[in-house]
Amino acid sequence: QFSVGLFHSHKHPELIIFGLRQEVGGYIINQVGASIAKGTKIEPDRFYDDYTNTGNYFKTVDPKHYEEYCGYARWLYRGSNFPMLQCVWPLKSGHYPWDPEYPAEGAQIQPLLTK
C-alpha cells in the first residue's frame, strides 16, 4: 500500500508499506499522513515509535522500484519525479530487513526498496 498526494499537497515524500493486512497498513499510512498534514516531517533512517506498536523506520525508496509498486502515483506525477519513503517494521523477532538475523522469507513479506 502507498500514499498518493502527500508530495503534491504537502511537499512531503509519499509513503509505502508492505506485508501487513490491508486495514493495518492503510491505517498506518493514514496516521502518518494526518501527522504530515499537521506539519510533521518524517526523516529517513530515524526510529519512530508513534505509528506502530513495535516502532519503525522510514527508508528512502529508490525510484527504480516505482514502476513495479507505485503505478497510480506515477500516473499522478506523470513519471517518477517524486520522493518516497518506505515504512519498515520489524518481524516478531525484533529484526529489521537490514539485520543479519532477518530471515530470507521476511524479504518476501517486506521487500526493502532502498537505494
Side-chain angles (χ1 to χ4, degrees), residues 2-16:
F2 58 92
S3 65
V4 177
L6 287 176
F7 186 63
H8 174 76
S9 299
H10 303 289
K11 300 300 179 215
H12 190 282
E14 297 294 345
L15 305 171
I16 191 167

Side-chain angles (χ1 to χ4, degrees), residues 3-100:
S3 65
V4 177
L6 287 176
F7 186 63
H8 174 76
S9 299
H10 303 289
K11 300 300 179 215
H12 190 282
E14 297 294 345
L15 305 171
I16 191 167
I17 193 167
F18 292 97
L20 300 173
R21 290 189 330 267
Q22 186 171 352
E23 62 272 12
V24 175
Y27 177 80
I28 292 168
I29 286 177
N30 287 336
Q31 291 302 307
V32 178
S35 181
I36 290 166
K38 292 178 184 176
T40 299
K41 296 293 180 195
I42 301 297
E43 298 174 29
D45 303 317
R46 185 179 145 214
F47 179 79
Y48 287 84
D49 59 5
D50 312 65
Y51 306 111
T52 64
N53 293 339
T54 57
N56 64 281
Y57 288 87
F58 290 89
K59 296 290 201 174
T60 301
V61 175
D62 188 328
K64 73 181 182 184
H65 298 291
Y66 289 6
E67 188 169 348
E68 182 175 359
Y69 295 106
C70 311
Y72 190 71
R74 290 188 74 244
W75 174 83
L76 174 68
Y77 295 114
R78 293 182 165 86
S80 297
N81 57 338
F82 60 95
M84 180 171 270
L85 296 173
Q86 181 177 354
C87 179
V88 183
W89 47 272
L91 295 178
K92 289 181 183 178
S93 65
H95 295 108
Y96 288 89
W98 49 85
D99 293 334

